[in-house]
Amino acid sequence: MRETSKHRKRKYIAVDVDEVEVRSKYFKKDDRTIDLSQETKIKNGSQSDHGVNIDWIKGLKPIEYFEWIESRTCDDPRTWRRPITKEEMKNESGAEIPESFLPIYNRVRLMRSKVNTPVDAMGCSMIPVLVSDKCGIPSEKVDPKNFRLQFLIGTMLSAQTRDERMAQAALNITEYCLNTLKIAEGITLKGLLEIDESILANLIRCVSFYTRKANFIKRTAQLLVDSFGSDIPCDIDGIMSLPGVGPKMGYLTLQKGWGLIAGICVDVHVHRLCKMWNWVDPIKCKTAEHTRKELQIWLPHSLWYEINTVLVGFGQLICMARGKRCDLCLVNDICNARNLNLIKSSKFHQMENKEDMEEVCLHWLDTISNGITTRRHKKK
């Protein structure tokens, strides 16, 4: 694959390299613990196909609920430092796992553990957290039902939109609910039903297709009241019955809303990288949905949640569709799409000690990501 931007000069910004952990106060650990075995003790109520008891989850208090979601969908970069072993690469289907997957994926995870990317700070999974923090809404005051709704709205806003703009749109709606509608919880079903569609469209003008999305949100709010007990659906068919919600949004909402890992979220980065590394058939997988279905045949279920966050961040900052950083990538010796000219021009390529080169590359990746974060905050 030819590098189209090899002549582009990049300005490096030197900053202090400190390990930054992006964590939510919602998932802050305290002395209280949850007996997760309660889930299996409940005999009555709705039980999903993946062992998640929905009635039990609905009864959790805020802190318990957020700890439960964190236990199912951990986004802690520190967990990516530990290599995945061959023994862990087991799938229920017995399908063959691509030979290149584990060596490439382990190195990508290592790089992601040191890099702060837009999806980590402002991706869909962070929207309710960021907005509530910005508006001064304490975690113990966040109703899990409202959190699930806010997450759903965030995913609907995110379609074909940069994370920063999606976050701003969600903040605009929240501030309108707080200041104009006087709803202390921020975005709620009551608030969404009260907002006039034209006002809602104006609040989210920063995202793409804002008039269409405003209509989708209004219709969704009414559907949730009429058909889903004023809560978000707990299965993929229900989620995808909502206007404007596709598989990627649907599976992500189930993951972060109910802790239900029913499918893999595949966006443009995951789709592009999986085809590039031949983890899926690049000819047959013409869409992200094709890639999702093929991945789910062989990828161990334990990786179904994390692979989206890991690969999206990698695709945002290191292996972009244009302007790849093969010179800094730890996969550049085994990647079938590496730019050899870019690698040879790198001063790291001349280092004989592989461990030293890895340490220097990780240092630079950390520096670049922190520099980007610093510039982003200054713009705001």
Side-chain angles (χ1 to χ4, degrees), residues 81-141:
R81 298 175 191 171
R82 182 188 68 82
I84 299 170
T85 64
K86 290 184 178 179
E87 290 70 27
E88 295 176 86
M89 293 300 296
K90 296 179 181 179
N91 53 45
E92 296 179 359
S93 68
E96 184 178 356
I97 296 173
E99 186 177 348
S100 66
F101 175 75
L102 198 56
I104 290 178
Y105 191 66
N106 270 334
R107 297 190 197 181
V108 170
R109 290 175 93 241
L110 176 60
M111 286 185 281
R112 285 290 283 114
S113 73
K114 297 294 292 183
V115 175
N116 300 308
T117 69
V119 71
D120 299 319
M122 286 179 259
C124 291
S125 61
M126 293 299 297
I127 289 307
V129 175
L130 290 173
V131 170
S132 293
D133 284 352
K134 181 77 173 179
C135 296
I137 302 175
S139 57
E140 62 272 13
K141 298 293 184 180

Side-chain angles (χ1 to χ4, degrees), residues 6-21:
K6 62 182 179 180
H7 298 298
R8 183 185 305 169
K9 293 184 178 180
R10 295 179 177 272
K11 181 180 179 181
Y12 293 100
I13 298 179
V15 296
D16 292 331
V17 181
D18 294 317
E19 190 171 328
V20 179
E21 181 183 3

Side-chain angles (χ1 to χ4, degrees), residues 140-152:
E140 62 272 13
K141 298 293 184 180
V142 177
D143 187 329
K145 183 182 292 188
N146 290 335
F147 177 89
R148 291 190 286 269
L149 173 66
Q150 292 162 13
F151 190 91
L152 172 62

